[in-house]
Amino acid sequence: MVLLAAAALVLAGCGGQGGTSGTASGTASAAKVTVEWWNISTTEPLKSFWAQKVKEYQAAHPNVTIKNVPIENEAFKAKLSTVAQSGKTPDLYSTWGGGVLKQQIDAGLVKDLSSEAATWIADFTPAALQAYQFDRKTYAIPTDIGMVGFWYNKSLFTKAGISEPPATWTAFLEDVTKLKNAGVTPIALAGKEKWPGHYYWAYLAMRVAGLDALKQAAIDDDFTKPDFVAAGTHLKELVDLQPFQKGFLGAGYSTPDGQAATMGNGKAAMELMGQWAPVVEKDSGKGLGKDLGFFGFPAVDGGKGSTGDVFGGGGGYAVGVNAPPAAVDFLKYISQKDVHRAAVETGALLPVLKGEEEAVKDPNLAVVAQTLAGATGFQLYLDQAYPPAVGQEVNDSVAALIAGAKTPDQVAKAITETAKSE
């Protein structure tokens, strides 16, 4: 009975880690616990914002240490893949959902949050949760949602005599030529990192083949159909115009001489990027202020896809299956309405909680939010929607096409071969 009583006291002390967030839930005698949190918030304002929230949480939970580990996007993917292959994950870590998360779930690495988070999952919009739910269970909590589109420099468009954003792919290519003739670099691209390049092929596949074709390809593993080859052909039309900045094949995304800085410093007219682009442009470069504009990916003549269909995704956090209860409690804390609303107000995130829309103050981000609200369809990033090996092949093969090392047909065949081998 003495042992049972002692055990009950220990359990009561540990259970305090899962108590009401924002209040001191432990005691001086509670066991010390460390939660390792891998995230991709390496740029401002989120880097400092989350660091402050960690301090606030630890002050209220003196027995808990949150080991905050911001990791650059590509390095994060590689590092997480390595540890996952060894059968481990961090206690709390960034995820984009989709096929990559599903593979981790199937390997038994991810905690099912359906029960523990049932009361606060209801605060999220269904669209925000979609990428993290499988078989009616929730395996991650969203923190951001958005879409990819073209961010452009209004003054450079004016310099080239372009009065409005292009509505069709043909008009887009014509504008690229106008920009070049005006001595302006049309597009900034992080060729070294590959994932930004896959946005072009993915969007073109959406516009030419349509969303249903992409969904079917996930079932029959066949990307050799004419519409997928045509997507590559249209991308080659762009590549042949040599629209990217000098040295783009070796350029990173958020580095001082990378894609975001090139755009943010006014050295390129456009970049195809997600809703975080304005923040990274300002963090890596100077930022464009009122000269920055946004437009959706144009239509392709004769294509089966709708211009109302958008491509993108969000970010969320998954909890490792062996993580301590404090990991879920900290996730609950940063998902609270007041905390997340404050994160949205920084301009670095878009709403995932119901009723947050008015917190979006930036006019360009408001356009993104409005576009998302009226979207006719949604496609998750292909390097996340499909199994990891397939997503990586999409990135690699599209990068090879952009570099002139593969033809559109070879891209389609390479992705298909990888998909069928999975």
Side-chain angles (χ1 to χ4, degrees), residues 362-394:
D362 182 272
N364 284 313
L365 290 180
V367 171
V368 175
Q370 292 164 8
T371 304
L372 275 167
T376 55
F378 190 88
Q379 173 61 52
L380 182 65
Y381 311 118
L382 298 190
D383 58 356
Q384 299 299 316
Y386 298 135
V390 180
Q392 187 61 54
E393 187 59 55
V394 171

Side-chain angles (χ1 to χ4, degrees), residues 159-170:
K159 179 180 178 180
I162 303 170
S163 59
E164 60 183 7
T168 67
W169 185 248
T170 299

Side-chain angles (χ1 to χ4, degrees), residues 268-416:
M270 293 179 281
E271 68 165 333
L272 183 61
M273 190 48 60
Q275 70 281 359
W276 57 85
V279 171
V280 185
E281 287 170 9
K282 187 174 182 180
D283 188 77
S284 302
K286 298 176 182 177
L288 297 179
K290 293 182 179 180
D291 274 339
L292 184 66
F294 177 86
F295 65 93
F297 199 91
V300 174
D301 292 333
K304 300 179 180 71
S306 166
T307 53
D309 295 340
V310 300
F311 173 77
Y317 293 112
V319 178
V321 69
N322 295 318
V328 178
D329 193 60
F330 177 68
L331 179 54
K332 179 181 180 182
Y333 170 66
I334 62 173
S335 301
Q336 289 179 161
K337 288 185 177 181
D338 59 336
V339 174
H340 194 268
R341 183 186 178 90
V344 171
E345 288 175 345
T346 69
L349 300 178
L350 285 178
V352 293
L353 292 164
K354 298 171 184 175
E356 280 187 327
E357 292 80 10
E358 70 275 12
V360 181
K361 305 301 182 185
D362 182 272
N364 284 313
L365 290 180
V367 171
V368 175
Q370 292 164 8
T371 304
L372 275 167
T376 55
F378 190 88
Q379 173 61 52
L380 182 65
Y381 311 118
L382 298 190
D383 58 356
Q384 299 299 316
Y386 298 135
V390 180
Q392 187 61 54
E393 187 59 55
V394 171
N395 286 351
D396 291 345
S397 287
V398 172
L401 186 154
I402 292 172
K406 276 188 178 179
T407 66
D409 186 64
Q410 288 172 332
V411 170
K413 288 180 178 177
I415 298 171
T416 298

